[in-house]
Amino acid sequence: MTRKRPRLVRAVRIAKALLSTQYAYMLEYRAEIALWAISGVLPLIMLGVWQGSGAATRAGLNPQQLSHYFVAAFVVRQFSVVWLIHVFEEDTLTGKLSPYLLQPLQPLWRYFCAHLAEQATRIPFVGFLLIGLATINPDLLWRPSAGELLWGIAALWSAFILRFLLQTLAAMLCFWSERAAALDRLLLIPYLFLSGLVAPLDTFPASIKRIALATPFPAMVDFPARLLSGLPVDLGGGLLSLLIWCLILAPLCWWGWHQGVRRYGAMGA
Amino acid sequence: MIQVRDLSKTFRVAEKQPGLQGTLRHLLLRRHRDVEAVSGLNFSIEEGEMVGFLGPNGAGKTTTLKMLSGLIHPSAGELSVAGYQPERRQCGFLEQITLVMGNKQQLIWDLPPLDSIRVNAAVYGIDAIEAKRRVSELADMLELGEELHRPVRKLSLGQRMKAELLASLLHQPRVLFLDEPTLGLDVSAQARVRDFLAEYNRRFGATVLLTSHYMGDITALCERVLLIHQGQLFHDGDLEALTSKLAPFRQVRLELQRAYPMAAFEAYGTVESHQEHQVMLLINRNCLTETVAALLSNFPVVDLEVNDPPIEELMRSLFSAAATSALP
């Protein structure tokens, strides 16, 4: 206990220092982050597409449920964006990773805190976009219950961690390949179609839905979006799926890191 | 403090011929070549020593520093720094070392250095009061003031380097690996950094291994030098011994009362230059005293000067010979 407490205090202090510094750094790029936030409107575009067709109604979703789902998916997407592989690829190729490796802190924590700081910077822009939506059509927004909000935020944050772990695993390829970010572009295809970002999972044919549910992607968008929008959802099953995928990916990331870092050439440094 | 035994590092590099044919061949039948960056290196450094690490570009200096700091894994050999195996990168090891590279920075570009320093303090577990004291102490030594509050991108190269040093030394490492810390700095900034390093070494008893292409850095700071040449250790000792090794002769300049023919001096050594009253001879170190005595007794000498050839010149000729021999 006497050893654990100082370690915990130190971890909290590191987290505070990293988060506040990264937040200050992200604020320097606020205009860019505002543009990223605007560029994440795919679910709102998909809402427009789906509203015009009767497919959602045939899948058991009324127009209001459909619009709430896509607005929730928009929020989930905004706060689960992961760009680790792109900076990690650059840092590995140019040797910028070297100073991080020379400090007694696992470098991935820096990237993780940078993502959290970026999310905090994004909050006002997402708020403005939602206010804009409400101005255009007040029916697009709803007031979730305390439970929906609580579980929704927990699922959203877990979805972010899952996406971060998945991309961390892909990023470990940077130690072997100079263009590992290409893998992320490949992963974007199943992420877009199987996560529920372009269509609610309920609208999928049963066989496709079964395949989708066997992957980690629905837990990244469909599950938290359903929770936030108040659609019927298997809470235990969704949380369990998030947990299982995180438990699968975390050791793989650890293994990938330890194998990969041995190959690091610290080029450019 | 530092022990290096039979250290080697080999990199595997892909080879590609220029042109379309070379590109297609590279695509279908990729060829690799093993490049031995460091080969069988042996040396040890005592605690508190400041050692210069010299060698031409591509000699393996930076690769060695990267292995010593644990950034890259050796292909063969044994390493020990402060009792640790660097490649294991244990926290206890990382808390005792630092690697400063003149061409790389750890400071966050868009924020003032103090923000990065605050993160470093947290990472190394230095409490806020102690961190403030150390920043103040190091800032005094480096003559840094309000620069610490300005975004890094607004600092001059010299100010940035000093801020880098401050950030890298906040945890008071016992071992400093410095790779070209004065690269690109003007003369006064170079002198400031040199003075700081000497003072840091004196005050904290740190062990320093320094590479630099500015001989001034080495002569001002290091009594001992390691010269690495084609991945192997060529010299380990003081600078004077290196000079003797690279040039087993000394320059003797004579000013005479009257002119003598060149042939009159050929028995004493190699005549480097000859102009009526002035002669420059290269004389073997082993018989310097007797030869100078003979010259003084046999010629009407007005002035006599004995010099070592400039170390820069000796190194340059050694390195250019290395570059020529490396050509295919």
Side-chain angles (χ1 to χ4, degrees):
Chain A
M1 191 67 190
T2 47
R3 277 178 64 85
K4 272 186 185 169
R5 199 172 154 75
R7 205 178 280 180
L8 185 69
V9 170
R10 186 169 168 179
V12 170
R13 208 173 142 231
I14 293 172
K16 267 174 68 181
L18 278 176
L19 287 171
S20 59
T21 306
Q22 287 294 341
Y23 184 63
Y25 180 67
M26 292 296 165
L27 282 179
E28 293 287 316
Y29 291 93
R30 54 195 176 276
E32 200 177 345
I33 291 171
L35 291 174
W36 283 349
I38 294 167
S39 70
V41 293
L42 178 69
L44 302 179
I45 296 168
M46 295 317 296
L47 169 62
V49 172
W50 281 93
Q51 265 178 340
S53 77
T57 317
R58 284 195 296 277
L61 295 172
N62 64 41
Q64 197 179 41
Q65 283 177 320
L66 185 75
S67 58
H68 289 179
Y69 173 83
F70 275 115
V71 171
F74 164 74
V75 173
V76 171
R77 170 79 182 129
Q78 289 289 338
F79 294 105
S80 60
V81 173
V82 178
W83 31 267
L84 168 77
I85 197 163
H86 303 284
V87 278
F88 193 78
E89 184 181 87
E90 192 197 327
D91 289 357
T92 316
L93 287 178
T94 59
K96 283 185 194 166
L97 185 65
S98 300
Y100 302 157
L101 284 169
L102 291 173
Q103 294 196 344
L105 175 72
Q106 160 59 260
L108 289 170
W109 286 115
R110 289 177 188 270
Y111 298 103
F112 186 71
C113 288
H115 279 73
L116 294 184
E118 193 263 347
Q119 285 177 11
T121 317
R122 202 180 266 257
I123 289 173
F125 303 121
V126 176
F128 284 131
L129 285 170
L130 290 175
I131 290 167
L133 280 178
T135 312
I136 296 164
N137 181 0
D139 287 341
L140 284 176
L141 295 194
W142 72 104
R143 183 177 288 178
S145 69
E148 284 167 0
L149 197 64
L150 192 75
W151 284 114
I153 290 171
L156 165 55
W157 210 65
S158 306
F160 160 69
I161 292 174
L162 180 59
R163 279 214 73 196
F164 190 86
L165 285 172
L166 185 64
Q167 209 173 91
T168 301
L169 187 60
M172 292 306 102
L173 285 179
C174 294
F175 290 119
W176 282 269
S177 164
E178 289 175 3
R179 290 288 175 266
L183 181 69
D184 184 58
R185 283 187 276 279
L186 191 68
L187 281 173
L188 189 67
I189 297 164
Y191 170 70
L192 281 177
F193 290 99
L194 302 179
S195 68
L197 204 61
V198 294
L201 250 60
D202 287 341
T203 60
F204 286 11
S207 57
I208 305 289
K209 189 177 174 181
R210 265 201 307 277
I211 294 170
L213 287 171
T215 69
F217 301 109
M220 293 175 184
V221 177
D222 185 80
F223 174 60
R226 291 180 79 92
L227 272 171
L228 283 171
S229 60
L231 283 171
V233 64
D234 176 5
L235 181 65
L239 290 174
L240 190 67
S241 168
L242 277 166
L243 182 70
I244 289 171
W245 279 111
C246 285
L247 288 176
I248 292 171
L249 290 172
L252 286 175
C253 292
W254 184 88
W255 178 82
W257 173 267
H258 284 276
Q259 293 302 310
V261 84
R262 295 174 65 87
R263 298 178 54 89
Y264 180 59
M267 289 304 162
Chain B
M1 182 58 82
I2 299 173
Q3 272 93 38
V4 176
R5 297 275 170 272
D6 301 321
L7 182 68
S8 298
K9 180 69 186 177
T10 307
F11 290 106
R12 195 155 193 245
V13 290
E15 273 188 332
K16 179 193 167 296
Q17 296 300 316
L20 181 64
Q21 204 182 354
T23 304
L24 292 173
R25 195 175 295 158
H26 185 68
L27 185 71
L28 301 169
L29 197 70
R30 192 162 287 206
R31 278 190 192 165
H32 290 92
R33 184 167 63 99
D34 284 339
V35 176
E36 206 164 41
V38 174
S39 168
L41 211 57
N42 285 288
F43 63 85
S44 61
I45 297 175
E46 295 301 316
E47 188 164 4
E49 258 193 293
M50 280 189 102
V51 178
F53 202 24
L54 301 174
N57 288 333
K61 304 185 297 289
T62 304
T63 303
T64 306
L65 288 191
K66 284 176 187 170
M67 286 191 281
L68 287 168
S69 58
L71 269 184
I72 58 174
H73 288 235
S75 304
E78 285 172 28
L79 274 177
S80 167
V81 176
Y84 290 90
Q85 268 179 281
E87 71 266 30
R88 294 180 68 190
R89 264 205 300 271
Q90 290 158 288
C91 287
F93 167 72
L94 296 173
E95 282 167 2
Q96 296 192 51
I97 65 135
T98 198
L99 170 66
V100 179
M101 294 185 154
N103 61 346
K104 280 282 150 205
Q105 61 169 53
Q106 61 158 309
L107 298 172
I108 301 171
W109 186 246
D110 294 300
L111 298 179
L114 275 179
D115 279 314
S116 302
I117 289 165
R118 204 167 62 87
V119 172
N120 282 9
V123 167
Y124 287 102
I126 307 162
D127 70 58
I129 297 166
E130 175 62 12
K132 203 172 167 186
R133 190 194 66 73
R134 289 188 193 182
V135 169
S136 161
E137 184 183 16
L138 290 168
D140 276 351
M141 287 165 75
L142 284 159
E143 292 178 356
L144 276 170
E146 54 86 34
E147 295 91 344
L148 293 174
H149 299 270
R150 266 193 273 155
V152 173
R153 64 168 185 269
K154 303 269 185 196
L155 301 179
S156 70
L157 188 61
Q159 290 166 337
R160 219 154 61 214
M161 193 61 227
K162 290 196 282 185
E164 282 287 338
L165 278 168
L166 198 160
S168 303
L169 301 175
L170 185 71
H171 60 292
Q172 292 181 348
R174 289 168 64 204
V175 184
L176 274 61
F177 299 114
L178 306 170
D179 192 16
E180 305 279 356
T182 56
L183 189 72
L185 303 189
D186 64 35
V187 178
S188 68
Q190 276 179 29
R192 185 66 250 157
V193 169
R194 274 178 210 153
D195 290 348
F196 167 76
L197 293 173
E199 175 65 10
Y200 185 89
N201 168 260
R202 193 187 58 74
R203 204 180 282 192
F204 299 103
T207 309
V208 181
L209 185 56
L210 163 82
T211 81
S212 180
H213 278 114
Y214 301 113
M215 281 308 291
D217 291 346
I218 305 293
T219 48
L221 294 170
C222 309
E223 285 180 10
R224 177 183 165 197
V225 292
L226 301 171
L227 177 63
I228 187 170
H229 184 42
Q230 295 174 335
Q232 293 179 322
L233 196 64
F234 179 84
H235 171 81
D236 179 356
D238 58 29
L239 257 179
E240 208 175 310
L242 175 64
T243 311
S244 313
K245 197 168 177 176
L246 290 175
F249 50 80
R250 298 193 83 180
Q251 265 178 346
V252 176
R253 192 184 66 81
L254 296 171
E255 199 177 323
L256 305 162
Q257 262 179 0
R258 61 186 172 84
Y260 284 85
M262 195 168 143
F265 302 97
E266 282 171 353
Y268 298 92
T270 308
V271 182
E272 205 177 34
S273 66
H274 177 260
Q275 288 172 342
E276 294 196 351
H277 294 243
Q278 284 205 7
V279 184
M280 185 81 87
L281 292 166
L282 293 176
I283 298 172
N284 196 302
R285 284 169 189 269
N286 298 332
C287 54
L288 183 69
T289 316
E290 309 88 85
T291 311
V292 168
L295 283 166
L296 286 170
S297 63
N298 297 339
F299 297 95
V301 176
V302 178
D303 193 17
L304 183 143
E305 217 175 280
V306 181
N307 289 312
D308 271 325
I311 183 76
E312 286 93 339
E313 227 166 76
L314 296 173
M315 302 277 287
R316 204 178 304 130
S317 55
L318 177 75
F319 296 168
S320 58
T324 314
S325 66
L327 288 172

